Amino acid sequence: MSKAENVLKAWLRHRLVLLEVLDLLEDQHLNYKPWENAMTLQQLVTHILFSANMFAKAVKAGKIVPPASSNPPEVQTVSDLKKLAEEITEETKKTITEFSDEKLETPVDMTQLFGTHLPGKSILRIMNEHEIHHKGQLYVYLRLVGVKELPLFVKRQ
Amino acid sequence: MSKAENVLKAWLRHRLVLLEVLDLLEDQHLNYKPWENAMTLQQLVTHILFSANMFAKAVKAGKIVPPASSNPPEVQTVSDLKKLAEEITEETKKTITEFSDEKLETPVDMTQLFGTHLPGKSILRIMNEHEIHHKGQLYVYLRLVGVKELPLFVKRQ
């Protein structure tokens, strides 16, 4: 297994849980936010999706690539959110799958975000940890809108 | 740098943030819980502390070591929680520091928790991801008790 395949597998153990918990939502939960100025539930989900995609694209390009739109699309239904999540997940997967071992060692210009250059493998580590952090937050949101049963935070190995 | 030192460094980038955010708490926040049957804020913190310690000790022993007490100690003040957190952190650090590269490859009997044996390095990965997940939840708790400014979820590299 290539290093990129290992990275992908480790990240999917969290992303697949994210996709799974979206099925527990109802449309009226999408704009829930637990405090003023918080991200809404859908903003939290799209932040996870588009951040991972941004990190993967940065490794590919060697630098941060500004997104096509400054705001992720807003959706009205859980079904549309799930569709969006699946599309972005496929795009991110495809990007990561193509990385050679050498690419993972190549420095990426992350000055804009972190004030420094970091090797691709470090960016992908941050990508994964960023996703776990915000998914943890999402778990509290889900409890607060009334979801009673949540899966383990990570798929078993 | 040994593999154990790398694991330790990556985990401390989160543990040091956990210790830092405890300073933002007031004593009356300790028993806050955002929904019925939730862990209280202090239970969430002690769950993070004692889980990491349990994972590290399992790697050392080659199997899960039952804790001396089935419940983590309850504290009444933020100062006592911080003291406890620092003590357990030191203990966990010391355990991880001693692992040889070979130890990280040695299977650990995790049948009781995960139904299988896993190499030490996989247990330490789960330890880190478990901590990030619950720290993400803690960030929402902290906002909900009124904390306005929180540090980045991870120490910069």
Side-chain angles (χ1 to χ4, degrees):
Chain A
M1 198 181 279
S2 73
K3 286 184 182 169
E5 283 170 324
N6 275 322
V7 166
L8 184 66
K9 199 177 149 199
W11 167 68
L12 282 174
R13 291 176 61 226
H14 293 283
R15 175 54 59 92
L16 293 177
V17 172
L18 177 69
L19 295 177
E20 189 180 327
V21 300
L22 295 185
D23 291 332
L24 305 172
L25 286 173
E26 294 166 24
D27 293 346
Q28 77 265 22
H29 298 150
L30 291 177
N31 294 316
Y32 170 78
K33 55 182 176 181
W35 68 93
E36 215 190 323
N37 302 323
M39 282 192 268
T40 64
L41 196 152
Q42 77 160 295
Q43 283 169 342
L44 183 56
V45 173
T46 54
H47 177 66
I48 296 172
L49 298 172
F50 284 88
S51 297
N53 206 39
M54 176 276 290
F55 284 126
K57 281 184 175 169
V59 174
K60 183 173 180 173
K63 62 182 182 187
I64 295 170
V65 181
S69 160
S70 57
N71 292 313
E74 279 216 21
V75 296
Q76 305 303 320
T77 65
V78 172
S79 164
D80 283 352
L81 183 61
K82 184 81 190 262
K83 194 165 159 250
L84 177 67
E86 284 168 346
E87 283 169 9
I88 303 296
T89 300
E90 280 311 306
E91 193 179 304
T92 311
K93 270 170 72 172
K94 190 169 174 298
T95 305
I96 296 172
T97 305
E98 290 168 1
F99 295 150
S100 64
D101 287 5
E102 193 192 350
K103 188 70 174 166
L104 298 187
E105 301 297 330
T106 306
V108 181
D109 182 355
M110 298 299 285
T111 316
Q112 202 183 319
L113 269 185
F114 304 131
T116 188
H117 289 61
L118 292 170
K121 65 182 179 187
S122 301
I123 310 297
L124 296 178
R125 181 178 185 111
I126 292 168
M127 176 190 96
N128 195 41
E129 295 189 347
H130 179 267
E131 177 139 349
I132 299 167
H133 171 74
H134 285 300
K135 175 161 61 60
Q137 297 188 307
L138 180 65
Y139 267 50
V140 178
Y141 276 52
L142 290 169
R143 292 284 186 186
L144 289 170
V145 298
V147 175
K148 302 282 184 209
E149 296 284 336
L150 285 166
L152 188 67
F153 76 104
V154 61
K155 289 275 175 201
R156 296 244 168 129
Q157 285 183 316
Chain B
M1 199 179 279
S2 74
K3 285 183 182 167
E5 283 170 324
N6 274 323
V7 166
L8 184 67
K9 198 176 150 199
W11 168 67
L12 283 174
R13 292 176 62 225
H14 293 284
R15 175 54 59 92
L16 294 177
V17 172
L18 177 68
L19 296 177
E20 187 181 328
V21 300
L22 295 185
D23 291 331
L24 304 172
L25 286 174
E26 295 166 24
D27 293 345
Q28 77 265 22
H29 298 149
L30 291 178
N31 293 316
Y32 170 78
K33 55 181 175 182
W35 69 92
E36 216 192 323
N37 302 323
M39 281 191 271
T40 64
L41 197 151
Q42 78 159 295
Q43 283 169 340
L44 183 57
V45 173
T46 53
H47 177 66
I48 296 171
L49 298 172
F50 285 88
S51 298
N53 206 39
M54 177 275 291
F55 284 126
K57 280 184 176 170
V59 174
K60 183 172 178 174
K63 63 182 182 186
I64 296 170
V65 181
S69 159
S70 57
N71 292 313
E74 279 216 21
V75 296
Q76 305 301 322
T77 65
V78 173
S79 165
D80 283 351
L81 183 61
K82 186 78 190 270
K83 193 164 161 252
L84 177 68
E86 285 169 346
E87 283 169 9
I88 303 296
T89 300
E90 281 310 307
E91 193 178 306
T92 312
K93 271 171 72 172
K94 189 168 174 298
T95 306
I96 297 172
T97 305
E98 290 169 2
F99 294 150
S100 64
D101 287 5
E102 192 192 351
K103 187 71 173 166
L104 298 186
E105 301 299 330
T106 306
V108 181
D109 182 354
M110 298 299 283
T111 316
Q112 201 182 319
L113 268 185
F114 304 131
T116 188
H117 290 61
L118 292 170
K121 66 182 179 187
S122 302
I123 310 296
L124 296 177
R125 180 178 186 110
I126 292 169
M127 175 191 96
N128 194 41
E129 294 188 348
H130 179 268
E131 177 139 351
I132 299 167
H133 171 73
H134 285 299
K135 175 160 61 58
Q137 296 188 308
L138 181 65
Y139 267 50
V140 178
Y141 276 52
L142 290 169
R143 291 285 187 188
L144 289 169
V145 297
V147 175
K148 302 283 185 210
E149 297 284 336
L150 286 166
L152 188 65
F153 77 104
V154 61
K155 290 276 175 200
R156 296 242 168 130
Q157 284 182 317

